[in-house]
Amino acid sequence: LEEEALQQVEEAASVKELEAVRVKYLGKKGPITEVLRGMGKLSAEERPKVGQKANEVREAIQARLEERTKGLEEKALEEKLSSESIDVTLPGRPIKKGARHPLTAVVEEVEDIFIGMGFKVTEGPEVETDYYNFEKLNLPKDHPARDMQDSFYITPDLLLRTQTSPVQARTMEKHEGKGPVKIVCPGKVYRRDDDDATHSHQFMQIEGLYVDKDVKMSDLKGVLETFVKKYFGPDRSIRLRPSFFPFTEPSVEVDVSCGLCQGQGCRVCKHSGWIEVLGAGMVHPRVLEMSGFDPEEYSGFAFGMGVERFALLRYGIDDIRHFYTNDLRFLEQFKRS
Ligand code: PHE
């Protein structure tokens, strides 16, 4: 019996087969258990002999079983290790890195320039009240200039802001009539427009506001000139043209000299030598007053620019829609190493 069992232990090819052998010979229904169970029927003389023998056989089989099990387990582990080993000398696969969106890059660059001139970055809500978007900026309900900014209304009093200017009003209000207020406000704005290469119903603006005692038009010109030279290059200049905004008086349109044709005239500047980049002006006394500033004591300037326009000019992009469609072939051109 012992020999037969040991033979089968040797032949077993897996841990599972070994277990089957164990059950067969050493299990509850196996021959050894049977012998031990039948001991009661034996004579007192035979009992210790048979018992001892049975135990010896059992232990021998048991010991061999354990050895084989251990051997097989080790072999299985070794096989697993070698089949799952990692070749650390293989070259890695490159990870695709993202890039900053060109509009984000422009916003950050513009912010940095103004931070350098003492401005603070401030943000406001995109869903705005009619009150802050229009009324507080000297645009009462029936004002014809509201037509300049065709709006997305959510309720009669709530709309998607058409400009970043409401952040001016909100910030001035918080200052409770005390200057200085010196902020730039970047953000998304919305106007009803048919999208094409140069129009989008959603775009970005950066607004600037400086309110303090004795702020003059020449301060506005100086700040904008510094900004334009930092952003476009030191050889560029600006010119101011009279314009109209309800919240500034006087109002100006700001042009930057065309860097491509050096004033000779080209397609980009529509042969005029100048490119329009900003709206600006001196904060209207009524706007100051409505936001709690005494116009006798305080004055200020404000300006607003379209971020897309700055990006189009900087990178020579021909269609504003590229900014919103997230085509990787477009976006990947703005990667910096
Ligand atoms: N908010 C104006 C616009 O969207 C731009 C502007 C801002 C003009 C501040 C003057 C002063 O057209």
Side-chain angles (χ1 to χ4, degrees):
L1 179 77
E2 184 181 344
E3 254 168 46
E4 185 190 303
L6 289 178
Q7 174 82 16
Q8 288 193 18
V9 169
E10 296 315 318
E11 280 169 5
S14 68
V15 175
K16 219 171 148 192
E17 280 178 37
L18 279 175
E19 175 61 13
V21 176
R22 190 190 67 77
V23 171
K24 185 171 166 193
Y25 291 96
L26 305 182
K28 271 186 218 150
K29 289 176 190 155
I32 299 200
T33 313
E34 213 168 280
V35 169
L36 291 171
R37 233 186 246 140
M39 296 258 287
K41 289 182 202 136
L42 296 177
S43 65
E45 218 172 276
E46 277 176 315
R47 225 177 271 165
K49 282 191 206 148
V50 173
Q52 200 184 359
K53 185 68 191 159
N55 277 329
E56 270 173 29
V57 171
R58 191 182 62 189
E59 271 158 31
I61 297 173
Q62 184 89 35
R64 194 59 202 133
L65 262 171
E66 273 167 23
E67 260 174 49
R68 280 280 289 153
T69 308
K70 225 175 131 202
L72 279 175
E73 275 172 358
E74 269 167 17
K75 212 174 127 209
L77 182 66
E78 230 159 70
E79 270 167 17
K80 201 171 166 210
L81 282 176
S82 64
S83 72
E84 287 177 5
S85 71
I86 296 166
D87 181 355
V88 291
T89 63
L90 272 177
R93 291 194 193 101
I95 297 167
K96 270 212 163 198
K97 265 202 275 178
R100 275 194 311 179
H101 193 279
L103 292 180
T104 309
V106 169
V107 169
E108 285 177 4
E109 196 181 335
V110 173
E111 279 176 4
D112 279 349
I113 295 172
F114 281 104
I115 288 169
M117 291 192 270
F119 287 77
K120 259 170 101 175
V121 178
T122 308
E123 287 183 1
E126 281 172 42
V127 176
E128 188 52 281
T129 59
D130 183 275
Y131 179 65
Y132 281 110
N133 193 80
F134 288 131
E135 294 211 17
K136 271 245 172 181
L137 298 166
N138 202 25
L139 272 141
K141 282 243 181 322
D142 53 357
H143 198 290
R146 283 195 177 204
D147 288 350
M148 288 162 71
Q149 303 183 2
D150 217 350
S151 321
F152 289 112
Y153 275 91
I154 295 165
T155 70
D157 297 319
L158 221 53
L159 70 158
L160 297 180
R161 68 177 174 195
T162 59
Q163 49 187 353
T164 41
S165 309
V167 188
Q168 282 188 33
R170 285 177 174 279
T171 311
M172 278 195 277
E173 214 176 61
K174 277 198 199 115
H175 274 74
E176 295 176 338
K178 279 188 218 69
V181 180
K182 208 171 177 187
I183 53 165
V184 279
C185 328
K188 293 193 191 104
V189 299
Y190 305 83
R191 290 182 199 178
R192 284 174 52 176
D193 223 335
D194 291 327
D195 292 3
D196 61 25
T198 53
H199 296 84
S200 168
H201 63 282
Q202 179 210 301
F203 57 101
M204 288 188 84
Q205 280 192 337
I206 298 179
E207 182 103 359
L209 173 72
Y210 178 32
V211 175
D212 205 350
K213 289 173 185 165
D214 214 21
V215 175
K216 294 186 288 291
M217 189 91 180
S218 51
D219 297 316
L220 170 65
K221 197 176 174 201
V223 164
L224 292 182
E225 190 150 8
T226 307
F227 162 66
V228 160
K229 284 182 187 296
K230 285 221 165 113
Y231 185 86
F232 289 107
D235 52 337
R236 302 290 197 98
S237 52
I238 60 167
R239 77 173 181 189
L240 310 185
R241 281 181 292 111
S243 184
F244 171 78
F245 297 104
F247 30 87
T248 47
E249 182 58 38
S251 302
V252 290
E253 215 87 64
V254 183
D255 298 341
V256 56
S257 57
C258 182
L260 288 175
C261 60
Q262 312 299 337
Q264 298 307 301
C266 68
R267 218 166 49 87
V268 171
C269 61
K270 298 199 185 91
H271 308 288
S272 68
W274 296 93
I275 303 163
E276 186 190 316
V277 288
L278 277 145
M282 300 307 290
V283 182
H284 197 293
R286 288 198 51 195
V287 172
L288 287 172
E289 212 172 347
M290 277 190 281
S291 292
F293 277 83
D294 179 358
E296 297 290 324
E297 198 183 349
Y298 282 97
S299 55
F301 65 71
F303 56 87
M305 65 189 98
V307 176
E308 281 79 354
R309 195 154 168 69
F310 276 73
L312 291 171
L313 291 171
R314 164 64 61 87
Y315 302 116
I317 297 161
D318 58 0
D319 193 323
I320 195 172
R321 288 168 293 194
H322 285 313
F323 292 127
Y324 316 115
T325 41
N326 287 333
D327 186 331
L328 286 179
R329 287 169 302 180
F330 171 74
L331 293 176
E332 284 186 344
Q333 295 176 53
F334 300 93
K335 263 188 201 167
R336 275 188 274 180
S337 47

